[in-house]
């Protein structure tokens, strides 16, 4: 059950304040939450708008995250404890965690928009920040194995050398050691992994911040029609994460292969468009830019293959170009207008 309110107050001709709140009661172990948002819009002159907001957010775990029965699949991973680096498929299993707590966040935003040339040119900038606590995260097989290997080395043990039929070193002894991760099941004869249980946890925190830049310029060229130039750009300022058991990092400029909740985060993404309108004709060309980022792989073999075949561990920046054209027939079928549109995505076949 829940309830909400929203209020906007024009304090001055140039200033408007608003407030919104929502109360939700999920019952059970999740409990209830009250979250709110405060915002201000200031327009000291007609051409300039300044805005700011602060709010909180609450996301309850889903039924799947809480109660999903064990679900198993295959993943490739190295096992440094046994020395098995052949990237063989291994069984990884995950199930719900009824002890999960809700995610909480604080959200900040500050920005402005300026309108020039009688409104034909619009420019804007926004800064956004999200501070998450207890974000629900899934551990990966590689994270489980990496942390177990760190504990293995800290115990003064020796990694194995995989021979195909088994392993040397201390892998078998480590499997029986109480300091080892019991979610890693090893074959008692060979010491090789037969199954790994990953888990759903509440990450300690994630902090995400970005800048958004945008603009639009409208041009009328009389008999040549009307043109509109648009551009948008996002700069990832920060994507810090701490999963709470020794796994921390900064995601900007990285593929983030081993952190399920963090996508690839190029530092820059940009989109530019040029649109043309004349009578019943409409055309648009769009260029999408994605910045370079460092590649990550879940095994040394895959990383070695990337380096051997491509000579780099970086995904190059890329530009995709899309093109569309449309014509509107006023009465092609009956007395209603009909629009036919053709186009192509990534017309220069970039990859």
């Amino acid at each position: 059950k829940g309830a909400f309110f929203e209020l906007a107050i024009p304090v001055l001709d140039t200033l408007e304040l608003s407030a919104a709140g929502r109360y939700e009661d999920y019952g059970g172990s999740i409990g209830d939450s009250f979250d709110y948002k405060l915002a201000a819009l200031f327009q000291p002159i007609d051409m300039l708008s300044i805005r700011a907001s602060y709010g909180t957010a609450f996301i309850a775990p889903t039924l799947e995250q809480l109660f999903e029965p064990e679900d198993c699949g295959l993943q490739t991973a190295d096992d440094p404890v046994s020395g098995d680096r052949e990237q063989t498929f291994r069984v990884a299993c995950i199930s719900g965690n009824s002890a999960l707590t809700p995610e909480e966040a604080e959200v900040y935003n500050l920005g402005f928009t300026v309108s020039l040339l009688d409104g034909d040119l619009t420019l804007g900038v926004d800064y956004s920040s999200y501070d998450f606590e207890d974000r629900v995260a899934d551990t990966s097989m590689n994270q489980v194995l990496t942390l177990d290997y760190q504990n293995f080395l800290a115990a003064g043990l020796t990694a194995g050398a995989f021979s195909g039929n088994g392993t040397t070193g201390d892998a078998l002894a480590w499997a029986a050691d109480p300091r080892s991760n019991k979610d890693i099941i090893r074959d008692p004869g060979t010491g090789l992994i037969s199954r790994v249980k990953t888990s759903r946890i509440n990450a300690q925190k994630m902090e995400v911040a970005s800048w958004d830049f945008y603009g639009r310029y409208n041009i009328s060229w009389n008999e040549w029609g009307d043109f509109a130039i648009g551009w948008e750009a996002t700069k990832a300022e920060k994507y810090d994460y701490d999963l709470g058991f020794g796994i921390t990092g900064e995601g900007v400029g990285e593929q983030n292969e081993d952190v399920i909740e963090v996508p690839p985060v190029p530092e820059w993404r940009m989109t530019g468009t040029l649109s043309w309108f004349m009578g019943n004709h409409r055309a648009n060309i769009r260029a999408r830019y994605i910045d370079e980022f460092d590649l990550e792989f879940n095994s040394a073999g895959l990383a070695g293959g990337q380096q051997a075949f491509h000579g780099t561990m970086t995904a190059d920046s890329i530009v995709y170009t899309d093109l569309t054209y449309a014509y509107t027939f006023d009465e092609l079928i009956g007395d209603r207008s009909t629009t036919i549109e053709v186009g192509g995505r990534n017309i220069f076949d970039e990859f």
Side-chain angles (χ1 to χ4, degrees):
K1 59 184 179 181
F4 69 93
F5 73 88
E6 186 171 356
L7 179 66
I9 305 174
V11 179
L12 302 170
D13 291 340
T14 58
L15 176 63
E16 179 179 291
L17 302 179
S18 61
R22 185 177 186 91
Y23 171 80
E24 291 184 291
D25 185 359
Y26 289 86
S29 61
I30 296 177
D32 59 3
S33 173
F34 174 75
D35 293 286
Y36 62 92
K37 178 180 179 180
L38 304 174
L41 176 62
F42 180 49
Q43 192 171 10
I45 54 178
D46 290 343
M47 62 178 286
L48 177 64
S49 296
I50 302 172
R51 56 193 169 273
S53 67
Y54 169 80
T56 63
F58 172 97
I59 304 176
T62 65
L63 291 175
E64 179 182 0
Q65 292 169 336
L66 290 168
F67 304 115
E68 180 189 21
E70 188 171 74
D71 182 21
C72 298
L74 297 177
Q75 296 181 20
T76 58
D78 287 334
D79 177 21
V81 169
S82 69
D84 179 6
R85 299 184 179 275
E86 296 190 354
Q87 302 93 51
T88 52
F89 283 105
R90 311 175 197 276
V91 177
C93 301
I94 192 168
S95 58
N97 178 1
S98 60
L100 289 174
T101 59
E103 302 179 12
E104 297 182 353
E106 293 182 320
V107 183
Y108 310 81
N109 178 268
L110 179 65
F112 72 88
T113 300
V114 60
S115 179
L116 304 170
L117 303 178
D118 295 327
D120 287 335
L121 176 61
T122 301
L123 301 172
V125 178
D126 280 286
Y127 175 79
S128 301
S129 175
Y130 301 82
D131 293 343
F132 296 95
E133 291 186 0
D134 295 328
R135 192 167 192 184
V136 176
D138 293 351
T139 59
S140 70
M141 176 185 286
N142 276 284
Q143 290 171 347
V144 174
L145 295 178
T146 298
L147 288 173
D148 187 64
Y149 182 54
Q150 292 172 358
N151 294 332
F152 175 83
L153 295 178
L157 302 178
T158 303
F162 178 64
S163 65
N165 296 317
T167 182
T168 61
D170 296 320
L172 288 173
W174 181 243
D177 193 301
R179 294 169 292 180
S180 66
N181 188 337
K182 301 311 175 186
D183 288 331
I184 302 173
I185 311 301
R186 297 183 180 275
D187 185 282
T190 64
L192 302 180
I193 290 175
S194 59
R195 183 173 180 268
V196 175
K197 183 177 180 180
T198 62
S199 58
R200 289 194 170 98
I201 61 170
N202 284 113
Q204 283 192 352
K205 66 177 182 178
M206 289 187 181
E207 298 180 359
V208 181
S210 64
W211 290 90
D212 291 307
F213 307 89
Y214 58 90
R216 182 180 175 90
Y217 183 34
N218 299 318
I219 309 171
S220 180
W221 279 2
N222 300 320
E223 68 272 14
W224 295 101
D226 298 322
F227 294 83
I229 302 171
W231 58 92
E232 298 176 355
T234 297
K235 181 183 187 298
E237 186 73 20
K238 178 170 61 175
Y239 210 129
D240 296 342
Y241 56 88
D242 182 348
L243 300 189
F245 51 96
I247 296 179
T248 63
E250 163 56 66
V252 175
E254 304 292 337
Q255 184 183 8
N256 303 304
E257 173 69 16
D258 279 339
V259 186
I260 298 173
E261 287 66 35
V262 181
V265 186
E267 184 176 4
W268 283 96
R269 290 178 181 266
M270 305 180 193
T271 301
T273 59
L274 174 61
S275 302
W276 170 69
F277 311 89
M278 189 175 71
N280 292 8
H281 301 272
R282 184 178 76 249
N284 178 274
I285 185 168
R286 178 179 64 174
R288 295 172 287 137
Y289 169 83
I290 301 175
D291 203 3
E292 67 179 18
F293 56 85
D294 294 335
L295 294 170
E296 297 177 359
F297 295 91
N298 58 15
S299 71
L302 292 175
Q306 167 68 27
Q307 186 67 47
F309 285 102
H310 301 284
T312 180
M313 293 297 290
T314 300
D316 293 335
S317 59
I318 194 168
V319 177
Y320 299 105
T321 305
D322 310 324
L323 181 66
T324 60
Y325 168 78
Y327 185 84
T328 299
F329 295 88
D330 293 330
E331 297 180 353
L332 180 64
I333 302 175
D335 58 356
R336 295 185 177 182
S337 63
T338 302
T339 300
I340 297 178
E341 182 172 346
V342 296
R345 293 174 61 87
N346 191 21
I347 60 175
F348 297 120
D349 197 25
E350 295 290 331
F351 63 92

